[in-house]
């Protein structure tokens, strides 16, 4: 019998699960896995919701410092509408939608297998609310769609349907978004193992392992693509990408044109899908840091930090002040480096005179990458910010080089302004293009420069401060223009503000340890291993078993260069996360491309893509 039909795993077209010799029974801890505990206590917001919805609120209160409400699914849409329109609550934005498959958790037979998780934010009140709702339908989960209340639910609900199998009733366009449409299952469901086709190895061609050699999960046959819903062949429909240089990666845009005017755009994603969220379930917390580098590969430092912060919150550990300031230094250097890359490629795409600025901006970015290499030996995939602090202290030469960079960089930015800001061609291509109103930005759940460029004064570094940001004085640039030119000016000023933060950090860098001294979370210094048996034991257990995180969940993130980069981490009490969902700003902001381009020329599509500033490693994840 073929291995492809000899087991349930192979019937899924995937590789087998862990081998028997890879499982160590001695590492199983009593009480693991565990379900996240229900919230306790109350807040003004949760009390108001309990008073309004009564027994339909299953639980409400605080969990890991966050406001959490559990609501029955039949009241979910009503609750979302209420918290958006009620003057005292005013949660005007739906930030994120995901789900948790609780198949491997110790839940009762009458409890829902799937749970929808929603993150709402009130910008005016600086409040966050997590809403959880049990899905109906058992193994075929259903939840009501929130697209009628928040447009920003459209893509996250499609992603949750695609990867988790949750059907959102009432969704206007519930198609797969990352996986091919004929993909046979939903990869983030717990019964689906990690991995694809087994790679057989044997010394003889007669081994039965070779019966499956060369087969694939998905047939390699080429199929004619379907016309996206709502498009008409009465107009011209063309493909832009997936290997068009201005898409900055493997992005396919299906563009409907009336002459040269854009009628509608439907992005086709998933060409670079890497399965980071699935991989996270199989890696210890400390080991998944290395994978975060590969998402937005232009913002690795911020990626590290976005995963470390919620884990540290659940662990209840504090990072020493020096480690916190070093984190800020690296995050702001990364912001400048990423903005320089955005600027150089954006100019090259839009203007034929951009080659000079490409070389100039690359020159300055190279200095930042050299600083990264000086600190940790890597330039792009740094893995430098770790859970509990940073990997190692800054070398002495680093500060001197950074001071020189801070001294030189403002002059370089003035040169860029002289080349671009008042250039007639540049202004003609950006002004009035890709307009997004304040209300549309809120309704679509946009973040970062896409949100601030429409007049919303919000920045996580200031409004939900993390790391050492409360120590620094800086301004948050905003623009009421709402167009590509306004977002250009905003990002240019953000680089100036990052230099301002770096200057303060260099002048006030504290001494002391650079990572937590909790030896159950971070390894002891190498010098102690030869003289301390306790340190040796801590090191051995940390390397072989990792550290356990108390059962629970947290949504937390950072203000990355492209917007809000956050992680929803669900722990079952073990050393590996039970569920990790990554809220990538590139994915959520790219949803706006259709809105930005309608009625504009085909050439303006290139301008709008650059103005969003996407990286496909973060879009597809």
């Amino acid at each position: 019998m073929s291995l492809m039909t000899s087991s349930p795993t192979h019937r899924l077209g995937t590789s087998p699960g862990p081998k028997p010799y890879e499982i160590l029974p001695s590492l199983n801890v009593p009480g693991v896995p565990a379900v996240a505990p229900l919230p306790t206590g109350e807040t003004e917001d949760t009390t108001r919701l309990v008073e309004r919805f009564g027994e339909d609120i299953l639980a409400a209160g605080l969990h890991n410092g966050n406001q959490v409400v559990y609501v029955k699914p039949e009241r979910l849409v009503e609750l979302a509408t209420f918290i958006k329109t009620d003057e005292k609550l005013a949660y005007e934005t739906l930030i994120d939608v995901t789900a948790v498959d609780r198949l491997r958790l110790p839940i009762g037979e009458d409890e829902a297998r799937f749970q929808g998780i929603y993150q709402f934010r009130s910008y005016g009140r600086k409040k966050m609310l997590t809403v959880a709702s049990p899905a109906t339908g058992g193994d075929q989960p259903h939840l009501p769609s929130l697209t009628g209340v928040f447009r920003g639910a459209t893509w996250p609900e499609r992603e949750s349907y695609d990867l988790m199998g949750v059907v959102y009733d009432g969704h206007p366009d519930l198609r797969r978004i990352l996986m091919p449409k004929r993909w046979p299952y939903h990869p983030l469901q717990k019964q689906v193992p990690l991995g694809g086709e087994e790679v057989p190895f044997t010394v003889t061609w007669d081994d039965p392992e070779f019966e499956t050699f060369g087969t694939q999960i998905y047939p390699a046959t080429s199929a004619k693509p379907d016309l996206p819903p709502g498009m008409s062949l009465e107009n011209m429909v063309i493909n832009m990408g997936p290997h068009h240089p201005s898409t900055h990666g493997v992005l396919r845009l299906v563009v409907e044109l009336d002459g040269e005017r854009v009628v509608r755009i439907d992005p086709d994603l998933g060409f670079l899908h890497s399965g980071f969220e699935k991989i996270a379930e199989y890696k210890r917390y400390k080991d998944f840091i290395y994978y975060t580098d590969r998402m937005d590969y232009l913002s690795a430092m911020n990626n590290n930090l976005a995963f470390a912060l919620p884990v540290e919150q659940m662990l209840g550990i504090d990072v020493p002040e020096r480690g916190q300031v070093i984190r800020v230094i690296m995050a702001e250097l990364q912001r400048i480096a990423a903005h320089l890359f955005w600027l150089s490629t954006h100019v090259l795409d839009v203007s034929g005179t951009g080659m000079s600025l490409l070389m100039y901006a690359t020159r300055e970015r190279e200095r930042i990458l050299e600083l990264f290499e000086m600190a940790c030996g890597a330039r792009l995939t740094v893995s430098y910010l770790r859970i509990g602090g940073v990997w190692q202290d800054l070398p002495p030469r680093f500060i001197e080089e950074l001071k020189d960079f801070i001294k030189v960089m403002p002059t370089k930015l003035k040169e860029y302004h002289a080349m671009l800001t008042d250039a007639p061609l540049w202004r003609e291509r950006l002004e009035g293009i890709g307009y997004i109103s304040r209300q549309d930005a809120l309704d679509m759940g946009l973040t970062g420069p896409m949100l601030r460029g429409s007049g919303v004064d919000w920045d996580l570094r200031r409004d939900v401060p993390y790391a050492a940001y409360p120590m620094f004085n800086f301004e948050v640039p905003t623009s009421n223009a709402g167009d590509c030119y306004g977002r250009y000016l905003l990002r240019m000023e953000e680089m100036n503000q990052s230099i301002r933060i770096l200057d303060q950090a260099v002048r006030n860098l504290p001494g002391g340890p650079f990572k937590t001294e909790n030896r159950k979370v971070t390894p002891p210094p190498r010098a102690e291993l030869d003289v301390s048996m306790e340190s040796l034991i801590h090191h051995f257990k940390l390397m072989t078993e990792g550290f356990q995180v108390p059962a629970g969940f947290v949504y937390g993130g950072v203000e990355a260069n492209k917007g809000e980069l956050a992680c929803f981490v669900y722990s079952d009490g073990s050393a590996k996360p039970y569920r990790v969902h990554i809220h990538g700003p590139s994915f959520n902001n790219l949803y706006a491309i259709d809105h930005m381009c309608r009625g504009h020329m085909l050439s303006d599509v290139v301008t709008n893509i650059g103005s969003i500033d996407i990286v496909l490693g973060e879009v597809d994840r």
Side-chain angles (χ1 to χ4, degrees):
M1 180 180 293
S2 169
L3 287 177
M4 290 299 289
T5 59
S6 61
S7 70
T9 296
H10 278 109
R11 283 197 293 272
L12 285 172
T14 59
S15 63
K19 308 293 191 302
Y21 55 80
E22 295 176 337
I23 301 173
L24 301 178
S26 62
L27 300 184
N28 293 339
V29 179
V32 174
V35 181
L38 293 175
T40 59
E42 60 183 17
T43 67
E44 291 182 6
D45 291 4
T46 59
T47 300
R48 185 166 180 78
L49 290 174
V50 171
E51 291 174 351
R52 175 67 173 77
F53 292 93
E55 295 182 355
D56 291 327
I57 299 295
L58 304 174
L62 290 170
H63 176 65
N64 283 324
N66 297 335
Q67 295 185 112
V68 179
V69 170
Y70 289 77
V71 64
K72 291 182 179 179
E74 55 267 26
R75 302 296 299 277
L76 177 61
V77 175
E78 186 181 348
L79 181 140
T81 305
F82 178 71
I83 64 175
K84 179 181 181 181
T85 57
D86 183 75
E87 293 182 357
K88 292 185 178 180
L89 296 176
Y91 287 94
E92 66 265 55
T93 297
L94 173 63
I95 291 293
D96 192 62
V97 179
T98 188
V100 176
D101 180 2
R102 306 195 297 168
L103 180 66
R104 306 298 184 201
L105 295 176
I107 59 175
E109 293 183 1
D110 58 338
E111 294 187 69
R113 171 181 168 180
F114 291 87
Q115 222 172 45
I117 307 293
Y118 305 82
Q119 310 294 341
F120 298 92
R121 174 170 292 132
S122 172
Y123 289 116
R125 300 173 57 238
K126 298 183 180 179
K127 296 285 187 179
M128 193 81 179
L129 176 67
T130 299
V131 174
S133 185
T136 59
D139 293 342
Q140 287 78 44
H142 285 255
L143 281 168
S145 173
L146 296 186
T147 51
V149 186
F150 296 96
R151 288 172 62 192
T154 305
W155 274 22
E157 286 184 355
R158 283 182 62 188
E159 180 190 10
S160 182
Y161 162 72
D162 186 4
L163 304 182
M164 193 68 75
V166 179
V167 176
Y168 291 90
D169 299 321
H171 192 288
D173 184 19
L174 197 62
R175 294 176 288 146
R176 287 189 180 271
I177 192 169
L178 293 175
M179 309 300 288
K181 68 177 183 179
R182 292 176 295 278
W183 199 259
Y185 51 90
H186 303 283
L188 289 185
Q189 290 186 352
K190 284 295 181 178
Q191 79 277 11
V192 180
L194 178 72
E197 180 188 2
E198 278 281 280
V199 180
F201 175 78
T202 181
V203 295
T204 170
W205 282 99
D206 298 327
D207 195 292
E209 286 265 349
F210 279 95
E211 291 183 20
T212 61
F213 186 67
T215 60
Q216 299 180 12
I217 296 174
Y218 179 63
T221 56
S222 179
K224 181 181 178 181
D226 295 332
L227 189 69
M231 288 193 175
S232 172
L233 289 177
E234 295 295 320
N235 294 315
M236 180 183 293
V237 179
I238 65 170
N239 283 323
M240 186 173 175
H243 31 61
H244 192 287
S246 71
T247 60
H248 296 243
V250 279
L251 170 66
R252 171 179 173 245
L253 297 177
V254 184
V255 186
E256 181 182 0
L257 295 170
D258 181 6
E260 289 193 38
R261 295 283 175 182
V262 175
V263 177
R264 186 182 173 193
I265 289 182
D266 185 78
D268 184 14
L269 315 178
F271 292 92
L272 195 61
H273 188 57
S274 303
F276 288 112
E277 294 182 9
K278 188 72 172 181
I279 291 172
E281 300 174 9
Y282 290 79
K283 300 296 178 183
R284 299 185 183 97
Y285 287 95
K286 68 181 185 65
D287 297 326
F288 186 62
I289 284 287
Y290 310 107
Y291 289 84
T292 63
D293 293 326
R294 275 80 179 167
M295 294 186 299
D296 179 356
Y297 33 79
L298 301 178
S299 188
M301 292 289 187
N302 281 308
N303 299 349
N304 296 164
L305 191 54
F307 178 69
L309 287 175
V311 177
E312 290 168 354
Q313 187 174 341
M314 287 192 286
L315 286 169
I317 61 174
D318 294 321
V319 176
E321 190 176 50
R322 182 176 177 84
Q324 297 282 29
V325 174
I326 293 175
R327 284 179 165 186
V328 169
I329 290 173
M330 294 304 180
E332 294 308 311
L333 283 172
Q334 189 74 84
R335 186 183 315 279
I336 297 173
H339 278 356
L340 288 173
F341 196 87
W342 155 79
L343 178 65
S344 59
T345 54
H346 191 27
V347 173
L348 189 65
D349 290 342
V350 171
S351 168
T353 60
M355 185 60 72
S356 297
L357 203 144
L358 171 69
M359 293 186 290
Y360 298 153
T362 300
R363 175 189 60 197
E364 272 64 75
R365 179 172 176 268
E366 189 71 14
R367 295 200 62 178
I368 296 175
L369 300 187
E370 288 173 355
L371 286 168
F372 288 167
E373 190 172 13
M374 190 181 299
C376 63
R379 294 159 56 84
L380 290 178
T381 52
V382 292
S383 306
Y384 180 64
L385 308 189
R386 307 284 178 88
I387 296 170
V390 298
W391 173 48
Q392 63 180 11
D393 206 352
L394 298 174
R397 183 67 180 173
F398 181 93
I399 298 299
E400 296 304 316
E401 293 294 331
L402 178 56
K403 287 180 178 178
D404 186 63
F405 174 79
I406 294 170
K407 180 179 179 181
V408 170
M409 192 61 200
T411 303
K412 303 300 182 183
L413 289 175
K414 290 178 181 178
E415 292 176 1
Y416 304 160
H417 273 293
M419 295 175 67
L420 284 177
T421 303
D422 292 321
L425 177 60
W426 182 248
R427 298 191 67 156
E428 184 178 348
R429 291 297 308 275
L430 269 67
E431 287 185 321
I433 304 300
Y435 176 76
I436 301 174
S437 69
R438 174 188 174 91
Q439 186 54 48
D440 284 334
L442 293 171
D443 199 33
M444 289 189 286
L446 307 183
T447 60
M450 294 291 289
L451 181 69
R452 294 189 290 274
S454 294
V456 180
D457 187 9
W458 177 265
D459 191 306
L460 286 170
R461 296 173 296 172
R462 179 198 64 192
D463 299 311
V464 188
Y466 55 91
Y469 280 108
M471 297 171 54
F472 299 97
N473 295 316
F474 63 99
E475 296 176 5
V476 176
T478 60
S479 171
N480 292 318
D483 61 2
C484 293
Y485 190 73
R487 290 185 284 272
Y488 153 73
L489 293 175
L490 188 151
R491 288 188 174 99
M492 294 293 283
E493 180 56 29
E494 279 193 359
M495 286 191 276
N496 272 321
Q497 294 301 319
S498 291
I499 295 168
R500 180 179 175 184
I501 293 172
L502 289 170
D503 183 53
Q504 296 173 62
V506 166
R507 288 188 283 106
N508 300 288
L509 181 62
F514 54 87
K515 62 182 179 180
T516 180
E517 296 183 347
N518 184 338
R519 299 298 167 80
K520 296 185 182 298
V521 176
T522 59
R526 178 66 182 83
E528 289 186 13
L529 301 184
D530 295 332
V531 297
S532 171
M533 177 58 71
E534 184 180 9
S535 295
L536 185 62
I537 292 172
H538 279 305
H539 185 276
F540 177 78
K541 290 181 71 65
L542 187 61
M543 293 300 110
T544 57
E545 300 178 18
F547 50 81
Q548 291 179 293
V549 175
F553 58 81
V554 164
Y555 174 89
V558 302
E559 189 69 44
N561 53 288
K562 294 173 174 61
E564 181 170 329
L565 174 61
C567 291
F568 171 79
V569 182
Y570 190 113
S571 172
D572 63 357
S574 68
K576 299 177 182 178
Y578 183 80
R579 172 83 171 100
V580 173
H581 170 66
I582 299 154
H583 172 91
S586 292
F587 175 84
N588 288 70
N589 290 343
L590 184 58
Y591 170 68
I593 188 68
D594 177 54
H595 175 89
M596 297 167 68
C597 292
R598 291 195 182 196
H600 289 298
M601 305 291 284
L602 176 61
S603 58
D604 295 327
V605 176
V606 174
T607 305
N608 287 327
I609 293 173
S611 184
I612 297 173
D613 186 17
I614 58 172
V615 162
L616 268 296
E618 187 178 79
V619 172
D620 292 346
R621 300 188 306 285

